[in-house]
Amino acid sequence: MDTRRLQFLLELSRHGSMRAVADVLGTTTSTVSQQIAVLAKEIGAPLLEPDGRRVRLTPAGRRLAEHAVTILAAVEAARADLDPHAEPAGTVRVAGFATAVRRSVLPAAAALAEHHPQVELRISEYEPHEAFAALLADDVDLALTYDYDLAPAVTDPAVTVSPLWTARWDLAVPAADAARARGGNTGAVFEAFRDHGWIVNSRNSADEDVIRRLASTARFTPRVTHRADSLELVEDLIATGPAPAVGLLPAGRATRPGVALVPLAGPDVRQRAFACTRRGREAWPPLALVLGLLAR
């Protein structure tokens, strides 16, 4: 069905004659008659019936005219929603890991509330592979993911990936053991803690890939004793766990008592955050606005 023909029917229901419709729409009575006749064929039901020397809507015609009000309003709303020059409006569904939500999404949400109140964010905390799967399933509009420069993630050609920020990570160790490897390069630091248990993420393999790769350069296989995706829990396991354990944490993090950060350098360990969208969707005005705010 061509929705433009609904306008002819709707105007006929309002004005009662094809001449009036032609005047309102700036066309001819012949065009009005033809367009409504084509619409009747598309619908498969007569829309007009004789009324003396004029015509009137059949019951099906009146019912379709009622639907036309809603349909045409929805089409106009969609056109306005997609107009790149209009004020952005709509709901953007975001899935991302906790650090990215705190660091990037919440400031963007505050800016939207102040300057673009017609754009709403719906936020879900997901690990990168979960967010990526939700994006490919079209359950979210924007996925915030991460990898490490030492273990790059594989991208999908159906997805547009935009870099957001990078953050250096250190090795978190029991404070009492921190002096073991201060001042050494990354290989020496790993070697110093080879006999400790190692903590990796429970829902994402990126940090485990990095740990195993770096441990291999120090010629040992790390003994994974704990899996946790909460950074606070990682700290608790290091500080009060049943046996000495170590794990990666962001550099500069204010850790709890009993936990110390040992710098990793040569090579550094850097986490890289990305904003991912389905290819071609990034031009949608509300999403483009959010992407711009995240990139600041």
Side-chain angles (χ1 to χ4, degrees), residues 168-178 182 189-190 193 196-200 211 230-239 243-256 258-264 269:
R168 190 169 59 83
W169 281 51
D170 291 340
L171 188 65
V173 305
D177 299 338
R182 289 199 182 279
V189 171
F190 269 58
F193 295 97
H196 283 55
W198 290 76
I199 305 169
V200 299
I211 287 172
S230 163
L231 300 184
E232 290 76 12
L233 181 55
V234 172
E235 291 188 29
D236 291 341
L237 290 169
I238 293 171
V246 298
L248 296 175
L249 283 179
R253 179 180 173 86
T255 58
R256 57 159 290 171
V259 177
L261 294 179
V262 178
L264 298 176
V269 175

mmCIF file of all heavy atoms in Angstrom, residues 168-178 182 189-190 193 196-200 211 230-239 243-256 258-264 269:
data_model
loop_
_atom_site.group_PDB
_atom_site.id
_atom_site.type_symbol
_atom_site.label_atom_id
_atom_site.label_comp_id
_atom_site.label_asym_id
_atom_site.label_seq_id
_atom_site.Cartn_x
_atom_site.Cartn_y
_atom_site.Cartn_z
ATOM 1 N N ARG A 168 45.959 2.138 31.037
ATOM 2 C CA ARG A 168 47.033 1.221 31.395
ATOM 3 C C ARG A 168 46.620 0.397 32.608
ATOM 4 O O ARG A 168 45.974 0.891 33.518
ATOM 5 C CB ARG A 168 48.307 2.025 31.704
ATOM 6 C CG ARG A 168 49.558 1.161 31.866
ATOM 7 C CD ARG A 168 50.808 2.035 31.886
ATOM 8 N NE ARG A 168 50.767 2.994 32.967
ATOM 9 C CZ ARG A 168 51.125 2.717 34.230
ATOM 10 N NH1 ARG A 168 51.524 1.498 34.554
ATOM 11 N NH2 ARG A 168 51.072 3.650 35.153
ATOM 12 N N TRP A 169 46.995 -0.884 32.607
ATOM 13 C CA TRP A 169 46.690 -1.783 33.721
ATOM 14 C C TRP A 169 47.983 -2.267 34.361
ATOM 15 O O TRP A 169 49.016 -2.405 33.691
ATOM 16 C CB TRP A 169 45.862 -2.984 33.233
ATOM 17 C CG TRP A 169 44.406 -2.620 33.046
ATOM 18 C CD1 TRP A 169 43.921 -1.562 32.338
ATOM 19 C CD2 TRP A 169 43.274 -3.318 33.571
ATOM 20 N NE1 TRP A 169 42.536 -1.550 32.392
ATOM 21 C CE2 TRP A 169 42.115 -2.610 33.140
ATOM 22 C CE3 TRP A 169 43.123 -4.451 34.341
ATOM 23 C CZ2 TRP A 169 40.831 -3.010 33.473
ATOM 24 C CZ3 TRP A 169 41.850 -4.867 34.675
ATOM 25 C CH2 TRP A 169 40.706 -4.157 34.244
ATOM 26 N N ASP A 170 47.919 -2.506 35.665
ATOM 27 C CA ASP A 170 49.047 -3.007 36.435
ATOM 28 C C ASP A 170 48.700 -4.363 37.028
ATOM 29 O O ASP A 170 47.564 -4.851 36.887
ATOM 30 C CB ASP A 170 49.394 -2.034 37.570
ATOM 31 C CG ASP A 170 49.990 -0.724 37.058
ATOM 32 O OD1 ASP A 170 50.487 -0.707 35.907
ATOM 33 O OD2 ASP A 170 49.941 0.271 37.798
ATOM 34 N N LEU A 171 49.680 -4.952 37.699
ATOM 35 C CA LEU A 171 49.440 -6.209 38.391
ATOM 36 C C LEU A 171 49.142 -5.912 39.854
ATOM 37 O O LEU A 171 49.949 -5.285 40.550
ATOM 38 C CB LEU A 171 50.646 -7.145 38.290
ATOM 39 C CG LEU A 171 50.406 -8.566 38.815
ATOM 40 C CD1 LEU A 171 49.372 -9.284 37.945
ATOM 41 C CD2 LEU A 171 51.708 -9.359 38.876
ATOM 42 N N ALA A 172 47.964 -6.331 40.312
ATOM 43 C CA ALA A 172 47.581 -6.165 41.716
ATOM 44 C C ALA A 172 48.070 -7.371 42.497
ATOM 45 O O ALA A 172 47.822 -8.513 42.109
ATOM 46 C CB ALA A 172 46.070 -6.017 41.827
ATOM 47 N N VAL A 173 48.770 -7.096 43.594
ATOM 48 C CA VAL A 173 49.394 -8.170 44.382
ATOM 49 C C VAL A 173 49.134 -7.908 45.860
ATOM 50 O O VAL A 173 48.766 -6.791 46.259
ATOM 51 C CB VAL A 173 50.915 -8.219 44.117
ATOM 52 C CG1 VAL A 173 51.203 -8.361 42.623
ATOM 53 C CG2 VAL A 173 51.612 -6.974 44.665
ATOM 54 N N PRO A 174 49.331 -8.916 46.716
ATOM 55 C CA PRO A 174 49.249 -8.658 48.154
ATOM 56 C C PRO A 174 50.289 -7.614 48.557
ATOM 57 O O PRO A 174 51.450 -7.677 48.126
ATOM 58 C CB PRO A 174 49.560 -10.028 48.772
ATOM 59 C CG PRO A 174 49.198 -11.015 47.705
ATOM 60 C CD PRO A 174 49.542 -10.354 46.419
ATOM 61 N N ALA A 175 49.892 -6.637 49.337
ATOM 62 C CA ALA A 175 50.794 -5.544 49.702
ATOM 63 C C ALA A 175 52.084 -6.060 50.339
ATOM 64 O O ALA A 175 53.169 -5.501 50.119
ATOM 65 C CB ALA A 175 50.073 -4.575 50.636
ATOM 66 N N ALA A 176 51.986 -7.130 51.088
ATOM 67 C CA ALA A 176 53.173 -7.674 51.763
ATOM 68 C C ALA A 176 54.191 -8.238 50.779
ATOM 69 O O ALA A 176 55.377 -8.376 51.126
ATOM 70 C CB ALA A 176 52.742 -8.759 52.746
ATOM 71 N N ASP A 177 53.753 -8.544 49.543
ATOM 72 C CA ASP A 177 54.651 -9.133 48.553
ATOM 73 C C ASP A 177 55.098 -8.137 47.486
ATOM 74 O O ASP A 177 55.837 -8.504 46.562
ATOM 75 C CB ASP A 177 53.959 -10.310 47.847
ATOM 76 C CG ASP A 177 53.579 -11.427 48.805
ATOM 77 O OD1 ASP A 177 54.193 -11.505 49.875
ATOM 78 O OD2 ASP A 177 52.669 -12.206 48.458
ATOM 79 N N ALA A 178 54.666 -6.886 47.594
ATOM 80 C CA ALA A 178 54.863 -5.931 46.512
ATOM 81 C C ALA A 178 56.326 -5.673 46.197
ATOM 82 O O ALA A 178 56.678 -5.373 45.050
ATOM 83 C CB ALA A 178 54.161 -4.615 46.844
ATOM 84 N N ARG A 182 59.491 -4.747 42.287
ATOM 85 C CA ARG A 182 59.415 -3.323 41.961
ATOM 86 C C ARG A 182 60.616 -2.932 41.100
ATOM 87 O O ARG A 182 61.745 -3.289 41.387
ATOM 88 C CB ARG A 182 59.388 -2.483 43.236
ATOM 89 C CG ARG A 182 58.066 -2.610 43.998
ATOM 90 C CD ARG A 182 57.877 -1.456 44.979
ATOM 91 N NE ARG A 182 56.652 -1.564 45.752
ATOM 92 C CZ ARG A 182 55.454 -1.209 45.309
ATOM 93 N NH1 ARG A 182 55.335 -0.738 44.092
ATOM 94 N NH2 ARG A 182 54.389 -1.316 46.078
ATOM 95 N N VAL A 189 58.277 -8.977 36.541
ATOM 96 C CA VAL A 189 57.171 -8.904 37.501
ATOM 97 C C VAL A 189 56.388 -10.211 37.490
ATOM 98 O O VAL A 189 56.080 -10.785 38.545
ATOM 99 C CB VAL A 189 56.249 -7.715 37.168
ATOM 100 C CG1 VAL A 189 54.988 -7.763 38.026
ATOM 101 C CG2 VAL A 189 56.981 -6.392 37.378
ATOM 102 N N PHE A 190 56.082 -10.707 36.320
ATOM 103 C CA PHE A 190 55.339 -11.972 36.244
ATOM 104 C C PHE A 190 56.154 -13.115 36.845
ATOM 105 O O PHE A 190 55.615 -13.970 37.561
ATOM 106 C CB PHE A 190 54.969 -12.275 34.787
ATOM 107 C CG PHE A 190 53.627 -11.734 34.386
ATOM 108 C CD1 PHE A 190 53.342 -10.373 34.490
ATOM 109 C CD2 PHE A 190 52.635 -12.569 33.922
ATOM 110 C CE1 PHE A 190 52.098 -9.870 34.137
ATOM 111 C CE2 PHE A 190 51.388 -12.083 33.562
ATOM 112 C CZ PHE A 190 51.112 -10.731 33.672
ATOM 113 N N PHE A 193 55.951 -13.511 40.573
ATOM 114 C CA PHE A 193 54.700 -13.998 41.177
ATOM 115 C C PHE A 193 54.213 -15.299 40.520
ATOM 116 O O PHE A 193 53.040 -15.641 40.610
ATOM 117 C CB PHE A 193 53.624 -12.913 41.077
ATOM 118 C CG PHE A 193 53.942 -11.690 41.888
ATOM 119 C CD1 PHE A 193 54.534 -10.589 41.301
ATOM 120 C CD2 PHE A 193 53.687 -11.662 43.245
ATOM 121 C CE1 PHE A 193 54.850 -9.462 42.051
ATOM 122 C CE2 PHE A 193 53.992 -10.536 44.013
ATOM 123 C CZ PHE A 193 54.582 -9.446 43.413
ATOM 124 N N HIS A 196 52.241 -17.656 42.756
ATOM 125 C CA HIS A 196 50.956 -17.209 43.290
ATOM 126 C C HIS A 196 49.814 -17.766 42.441
ATOM 127 O O HIS A 196 50.000 -18.167 41.283
ATOM 128 C CB HIS A 196 50.870 -15.680 43.290
ATOM 129 C CG HIS A 196 51.648 -15.037 44.394
ATOM 130 N ND1 HIS A 196 52.976 -15.242 44.616
ATOM 131 C CD2 HIS A 196 51.236 -14.151 45.362
ATOM 132 C CE1 HIS A 196 53.387 -14.528 45.650
ATOM 133 N NE2 HIS A 196 52.342 -13.857 46.123
ATOM 134 N N GLY A 197 48.627 -17.764 43.013
ATOM 135 C CA GLY A 197 47.442 -18.029 42.210
ATOM 136 C C GLY A 197 47.137 -16.807 41.350
ATOM 137 O O GLY A 197 47.515 -15.684 41.691
ATOM 138 N N TRP A 198 46.448 -17.017 40.242
ATOM 139 C CA TRP A 198 46.141 -15.917 39.324
ATOM 140 C C TRP A 198 44.624 -15.796 39.193
ATOM 141 O O TRP A 198 43.911 -16.788 39.087
ATOM 142 C CB TRP A 198 46.787 -16.146 37.964
ATOM 143 C CG TRP A 198 48.283 -15.990 38.050
ATOM 144 C CD1 TRP A 198 49.176 -16.889 38.575
ATOM 145 C CD2 TRP A 198 49.041 -14.856 37.642
ATOM 146 N NE1 TRP A 198 50.450 -16.390 38.522
ATOM 147 C CE2 TRP A 198 50.407 -15.144 37.950
ATOM 148 C CE3 TRP A 198 48.725 -13.635 37.054
ATOM 149 C CZ2 TRP A 198 51.441 -14.247 37.685
ATOM 150 C CZ3 TRP A 198 49.759 -12.742 36.780
ATOM 151 C CH2 TRP A 198 51.094 -13.039 37.095
ATOM 152 N N ILE A 199 44.162 -14.547 39.197
ATOM 153 C CA ILE A 199 42.730 -14.246 39.117
ATOM 154 C C ILE A 199 42.428 -13.731 37.713
ATOM 155 O O ILE A 199 43.095 -12.802 37.230
ATOM 156 C CB ILE A 199 42.324 -13.185 40.154
ATOM 157 C CG1 ILE A 199 42.751 -13.626 41.560
ATOM 158 C CG2 ILE A 199 40.813 -12.942 40.115
ATOM 159 C CD1 ILE A 199 42.618 -12.522 42.605
ATOM 160 N N VAL A 200 41.423 -14.302 37.069
ATOM 161 C CA VAL A 200 41.016 -13.851 35.737
ATOM 162 C C VAL A 200 39.514 -13.577 35.743
ATOM 163 O O VAL A 200 38.806 -13.944 36.681
ATOM 164 C CB VAL A 200 41.367 -14.896 34.661
ATOM 165 C CG1 VAL A 200 42.873 -15.130 34.606
ATOM 166 C CG2 VAL A 200 40.630 -16.207 34.905
ATOM 167 N N ILE A 211 47.315 -12.449 30.373
ATOM 168 C CA ILE A 211 48.109 -13.061 31.443
ATOM 169 C C ILE A 211 48.864 -14.283 30.929
ATOM 170 O O ILE A 211 50.059 -14.455 31.197
ATOM 171 C CB ILE A 211 47.199 -13.425 32.633
ATOM 172 C CG1 ILE A 211 46.782 -12.150 33.380
ATOM 173 C CG2 ILE A 211 47.902 -14.388 33.582
ATOM 174 C CD1 ILE A 211 45.738 -12.374 34.453
ATOM 175 N N SER A 230 34.124 -8.696 38.935
ATOM 176 C CA SER A 230 34.055 -7.484 39.752
ATOM 177 C C SER A 230 35.459 -7.114 40.208
ATOM 178 O O SER A 230 36.158 -7.942 40.826
ATOM 179 C CB SER A 230 33.161 -7.719 40.969
ATOM 180 O OG SER A 230 33.390 -6.733 41.960
ATOM 181 N N LEU A 231 35.875 -5.885 39.913
ATOM 182 C CA LEU A 231 37.207 -5.452 40.329
ATOM 183 C C LEU A 231 37.322 -5.417 41.855
ATOM 184 O O LEU A 231 38.388 -5.695 42.415
ATOM 185 C CB LEU A 231 37.522 -4.076 39.743
ATOM 186 C CG LEU A 231 37.517 -3.988 38.204
ATOM 187 C CD1 LEU A 231 37.945 -2.599 37.758
ATOM 188 C CD2 LEU A 231 38.412 -5.053 37.598
ATOM 189 N N GLU A 232 36.233 -5.083 42.520
ATOM 190 C CA GLU A 232 36.242 -5.063 43.982
ATOM 191 C C GLU A 232 36.466 -6.469 44.537
ATOM 192 O O GLU A 232 37.202 -6.656 45.509
ATOM 193 C CB GLU A 232 34.928 -4.491 44.517
ATOM 194 C CG GLU A 232 34.733 -2.997 44.278
ATOM 195 C CD GLU A 232 34.352 -2.656 42.853
ATOM 196 O OE1 GLU A 232 34.000 -3.592 42.081
ATOM 197 O OE2 GLU A 232 34.418 -1.470 42.490
ATOM 198 N N LEU A 233 35.851 -7.463 43.883
ATOM 199 C CA LEU A 233 36.039 -8.834 44.334
ATOM 200 C C LEU A 233 37.478 -9.298 44.077
ATOM 201 O O LEU A 233 38.048 -10.041 44.889
ATOM 202 C CB LEU A 233 35.046 -9.765 43.636
ATOM 203 C CG LEU A 233 35.112 -11.242 44.025
ATOM 204 C CD1 LEU A 233 34.981 -11.429 45.533
ATOM 205 C CD2 LEU A 233 34.039 -12.033 43.285
ATOM 206 N N VAL A 234 38.063 -8.868 42.977
ATOM 207 C CA VAL A 234 39.469 -9.187 42.719
ATOM 208 C C VAL A 234 40.336 -8.691 43.869
ATOM 209 O O VAL A 234 41.209 -9.408 44.387
ATOM 210 C CB VAL A 234 39.933 -8.584 41.384
ATOM 211 C CG1 VAL A 234 41.455 -8.738 41.216
ATOM 212 C CG2 VAL A 234 39.217 -9.245 40.214
ATOM 213 N N GLU A 235 40.071 -7.452 44.286
ATOM 214 C CA GLU A 235 40.833 -6.897 45.410
ATOM 215 C C GLU A 235 40.621 -7.717 46.675
ATOM 216 O O GLU A 235 41.578 -8.012 47.420
ATOM 217 C CB GLU A 235 40.425 -5.451 45.650
ATOM 218 C CG GLU A 235 40.846 -4.491 44.562
ATOM 219 C CD GLU A 235 40.595 -3.049 44.951
ATOM 220 O OE1 GLU A 235 40.624 -2.744 46.174
ATOM 221 O OE2 GLU A 235 40.362 -2.219 44.060
ATOM 222 N N ASP A 236 39.384 -8.086 46.951
ATOM 223 C CA ASP A 236 39.094 -8.865 48.164
ATOM 224 C C ASP A 236 39.814 -10.205 48.136
ATOM 225 O O ASP A 236 40.339 -10.668 49.158
ATOM 226 C CB ASP A 236 37.583 -9.085 48.302
ATOM 227 C CG ASP A 236 36.828 -7.808 48.613
ATOM 228 O OD1 ASP A 236 37.467 -6.842 49.076
ATOM 229 O OD2 ASP A 236 35.594 -7.782 48.390
ATOM 230 N N LEU A 237 39.851 -10.845 46.978
ATOM 231 C CA LEU A 237 40.515 -12.136 46.866
ATOM 232 C C LEU A 237 42.020 -12.000 47.087
ATOM 233 O O LEU A 237 42.665 -12.895 47.655
ATOM 234 C CB LEU A 237 40.227 -12.762 45.501
ATOM 235 C CG LEU A 237 38.790 -13.242 45.279
ATOM 236 C CD1 LEU A 237 38.567 -13.584 43.806
ATOM 237 C CD2 LEU A 237 38.488 -14.453 46.154
ATOM 238 N N ILE A 238 42.585 -10.885 46.633
ATOM 239 C CA ILE A 238 44.015 -10.657 46.828
ATOM 240 C C ILE A 238 44.328 -10.356 48.290
ATOM 241 O O ILE A 238 45.299 -10.864 48.863
ATOM 242 C CB ILE A 238 44.500 -9.506 45.926
ATOM 243 C CG1 ILE A 238 44.414 -9.919 44.457
ATOM 244 C CG2 ILE A 238 45.921 -9.083 46.293
ATOM 245 C CD1 ILE A 238 44.663 -8.789 43.483
ATOM 246 N N ALA A 239 43.475 -9.536 48.901
ATOM 247 C CA ALA A 239 43.754 -9.079 50.265
ATOM 248 C C ALA A 239 43.418 -10.121 51.326
ATOM 249 O O ALA A 239 44.125 -10.242 52.330
ATOM 250 C CB ALA A 239 42.980 -7.795 50.542
ATOM 251 N N ALA A 243 44.634 -18.094 49.795
ATOM 252 C CA ALA A 243 46.033 -18.299 49.407
ATOM 253 C C ALA A 243 46.480 -17.089 48.600
ATOM 254 O O ALA A 243 45.651 -16.392 48.000
ATOM 255 C CB ALA A 243 46.179 -19.578 48.589
ATOM 256 N N PRO A 244 47.793 -16.783 48.581
ATOM 257 C CA PRO A 244 48.277 -15.611 47.832
ATOM 258 C C PRO A 244 47.841 -15.654 46.374
ATOM 259 O O PRO A 244 47.983 -16.684 45.708
ATOM 260 C CB PRO A 244 49.790 -15.712 47.975
ATOM 261 C CG PRO A 244 50.016 -16.527 49.201
ATOM 262 C CD PRO A 244 48.895 -17.517 49.233
ATOM 263 N N ALA A 245 47.315 -14.530 45.879
ATOM 264 C CA ALA A 245 46.835 -14.465 44.502
ATOM 265 C C ALA A 245 47.096 -13.080 43.945
ATOM 266 O O ALA A 245 47.224 -12.096 44.693
ATOM 267 C CB ALA A 245 45.350 -14.799 44.427
ATOM 268 N N VAL A 246 47.177 -12.992 42.638
ATOM 269 C CA VAL A 246 47.421 -11.729 41.948
ATOM 270 C C VAL A 246 46.481 -11.642 40.753
ATOM 271 O O VAL A 246 45.930 -12.648 40.287
ATOM 272 C CB VAL A 246 48.889 -11.611 41.488
ATOM 273 C CG1 VAL A 246 49.841 -11.629 42.676
ATOM 274 C CG2 VAL A 246 49.232 -12.728 40.499
ATOM 275 N N GLY A 247 46.301 -10.417 40.226
ATOM 276 C CA GLY A 247 45.446 -10.226 39.058
ATOM 277 C C GLY A 247 45.622 -8.833 38.498
ATOM 278 O O GLY A 247 46.218 -7.959 39.147
ATOM 279 N N LEU A 248 45.125 -8.604 37.312
ATOM 280 C CA LEU A 248 45.240 -7.301 36.660
ATOM 281 C C LEU A 248 44.188 -6.333 37.195
ATOM 282 O O LEU A 248 43.027 -6.710 37.387
ATOM 283 C CB LEU A 248 45.079 -7.449 35.148
ATOM 284 C CG LEU A 248 46.142 -8.262 34.414
ATOM 285 C CD1 LEU A 248 45.768 -8.404 32.943
ATOM 286 C CD2 LEU A 248 47.513 -7.614 34.559
ATOM 287 N N LEU A 249 44.605 -5.069 37.407
ATOM 288 C CA LEU A 249 43.692 -3.989 37.792
ATOM 289 C C LEU A 249 44.138 -2.704 37.099
ATOM 290 O O LEU A 249 45.320 -2.562 36.744
ATOM 291 C CB LEU A 249 43.702 -3.780 39.312
ATOM 292 C CG LEU A 249 42.938 -4.776 40.188
ATOM 293 C CD1 LEU A 249 43.088 -4.396 41.663
ATOM 294 C CD2 LEU A 249 41.469 -4.838 39.809
ATOM 295 N N PRO A 250 43.226 -1.746 36.912
ATOM 296 C CA PRO A 250 43.603 -0.485 36.262
ATOM 297 C C PRO A 250 44.684 0.254 37.050
ATOM 298 O O PRO A 250 44.635 0.337 38.279
ATOM 299 C CB PRO A 250 42.295 0.317 36.251
ATOM 300 C CG PRO A 250 41.220 -0.713 36.356
ATOM 301 C CD PRO A 250 41.774 -1.804 37.202
ATOM 302 N N ALA A 251 45.681 0.785 36.326
ATOM 303 C CA ALA A 251 46.725 1.574 36.970
ATOM 304 C C ALA A 251 46.114 2.824 37.605
ATOM 305 O O ALA A 251 45.182 3.421 37.057
ATOM 306 C CB ALA A 251 47.781 1.972 35.940
ATOM 307 N N GLY A 252 46.631 3.195 38.766
ATOM 308 C CA GLY A 252 46.131 4.393 39.435
ATOM 309 C C GLY A 252 44.870 4.171 40.239
ATOM 310 O O GLY A 252 44.371 5.110 40.856
ATOM 311 N N ARG A 253 44.360 2.960 40.249
ATOM 312 C CA ARG A 253 43.151 2.666 41.013
ATOM 313 C C ARG A 253 43.455 2.783 42.510
ATOM 314 O O ARG A 253 44.504 2.333 42.986
ATOM 315 C CB ARG A 253 42.670 1.251 40.692
ATOM 316 C CG ARG A 253 41.416 0.805 41.457
ATOM 317 C CD ARG A 253 41.037 -0.616 41.051
ATOM 318 N NE ARG A 253 39.964 -1.160 41.852
ATOM 319 C CZ ARG A 253 38.670 -0.991 41.603
ATOM 320 N NH1 ARG A 253 38.286 -0.277 40.562
ATOM 321 N NH2 ARG A 253 37.741 -1.534 42.381
ATOM 322 N N ALA A 254 42.542 3.386 43.252
ATOM 323 C CA ALA A 254 42.670 3.465 44.709
ATOM 324 C C ALA A 254 42.234 2.125 45.290
ATOM 325 O O ALA A 254 41.044 1.848 45.389
ATOM 326 C CB ALA A 254 41.824 4.607 45.262
ATOM 327 N N THR A 255 43.183 1.300 45.645
ATOM 328 C CA THR A 255 42.876 -0.047 46.096
ATOM 329 C C THR A 255 42.624 -0.090 47.599
ATOM 330 O O THR A 255 42.999 0.817 48.345
ATOM 331 C CB THR A 255 44.033 -1.001 45.752
ATOM 332 O OG1 THR A 255 45.233 -0.513 46.376
ATOM 333 C CG2 THR A 255 44.234 -1.082 44.255
ATOM 334 N N ARG A 256 42.028 -1.155 48.043
ATOM 335 C CA ARG A 256 41.734 -1.354 49.449
ATOM 336 C C ARG A 256 43.018 -1.714 50.192
ATOM 337 O O ARG A 256 44.007 -2.155 49.577
ATOM 338 C CB ARG A 256 40.686 -2.447 49.642
ATOM 339 C CG ARG A 256 41.050 -3.799 49.055
ATOM 340 C CD ARG A 256 40.258 -4.922 49.687
ATOM 341 N NE ARG A 256 40.681 -5.125 51.072
ATOM 342 C CZ ARG A 256 40.060 -5.926 51.936
ATOM 343 N NH1 ARG A 256 38.986 -6.590 51.556
ATOM 344 N NH2 ARG A 256 40.501 -6.065 53.164
ATOM 345 N N GLY A 258 45.853 -3.723 51.952
ATOM 346 C CA GLY A 258 46.291 -5.095 51.705
ATOM 347 C C GLY A 258 46.547 -5.406 50.257
ATOM 348 O O GLY A 258 47.013 -6.499 49.932
ATOM 349 N N VAL A 259 46.263 -4.441 49.353
ATOM 350 C CA VAL A 259 46.470 -4.641 47.921
ATOM 351 C C VAL A 259 47.395 -3.542 47.401
ATOM 352 O O VAL A 259 47.214 -2.366 47.726
ATOM 353 C CB VAL A 259 45.141 -4.613 47.140
ATOM 354 C CG1 VAL A 259 45.394 -4.746 45.639
ATOM 355 C CG2 VAL A 259 44.208 -5.712 47.626
ATOM 356 N N ALA A 260 48.381 -3.917 46.605
ATOM 357 C CA ALA A 260 49.293 -2.950 45.992
ATOM 358 C C ALA A 260 49.337 -3.181 44.486
ATOM 359 O O ALA A 260 49.137 -4.308 44.009
ATOM 360 C CB ALA A 260 50.690 -3.086 46.592
ATOM 361 N N LEU A 261 49.588 -2.116 43.740
ATOM 362 C CA LEU A 261 49.701 -2.202 42.287
ATOM 363 C C LEU A 261 51.168 -2.140 41.889
ATOM 364 O O LEU A 261 51.883 -1.213 42.261
ATOM 365 C CB LEU A 261 48.923 -1.059 41.616
ATOM 366 C CG LEU A 261 47.403 -1.077 41.791
ATOM 367 C CD1 LEU A 261 46.784 0.130 41.081
ATOM 368 C CD2 LEU A 261 46.811 -2.369 41.247
ATOM 369 N N VAL A 262 51.619 -3.129 41.128
ATOM 370 C CA VAL A 262 52.988 -3.160 40.618
ATOM 371 C C VAL A 262 52.935 -2.777 39.140
ATOM 372 O O VAL A 262 52.253 -3.441 38.343
ATOM 373 C CB VAL A 262 53.606 -4.561 40.778
ATOM 374 C CG1 VAL A 262 55.017 -4.573 40.187
ATOM 375 C CG2 VAL A 262 53.626 -4.972 42.236
ATOM 376 N N PRO A 263 53.620 -1.692 38.747
ATOM 377 C CA PRO A 263 53.560 -1.250 37.344
ATOM 378 C C PRO A 263 54.092 -2.301 36.384
ATOM 379 O O PRO A 263 55.030 -3.040 36.689
ATOM 380 C CB PRO A 263 54.456 -0.001 37.333
ATOM 381 C CG PRO A 263 54.476 0.467 38.752
ATOM 382 C CD PRO A 263 54.417 -0.780 39.580
ATOM 383 N N LEU A 264 53.463 -2.361 35.208
ATOM 384 C CA LEU A 264 53.893 -3.252 34.135
ATOM 385 C C LEU A 264 54.399 -2.395 32.982
ATOM 386 O O LEU A 264 53.665 -1.556 32.445
ATOM 387 C CB LEU A 264 52.738 -4.143 33.670
ATOM 388 C CG LEU A 264 52.146 -5.091 34.722
ATOM 389 C CD1 LEU A 264 50.951 -5.836 34.150
ATOM 390 C CD2 LEU A 264 53.200 -6.074 35.230
ATOM 391 N N VAL A 269 50.595 -3.004 29.525
ATOM 392 C CA VAL A 269 49.306 -3.658 29.299
ATOM 393 C C VAL A 269 48.262 -2.552 29.222
ATOM 394 O O VAL A 269 48.054 -1.820 30.191
ATOM 395 C CB VAL A 269 48.963 -4.643 30.427
ATOM 396 C CG1 VAL A 269 47.565 -5.215 30.224
ATOM 397 C CG2 VAL A 269 49.989 -5.770 30.478
#
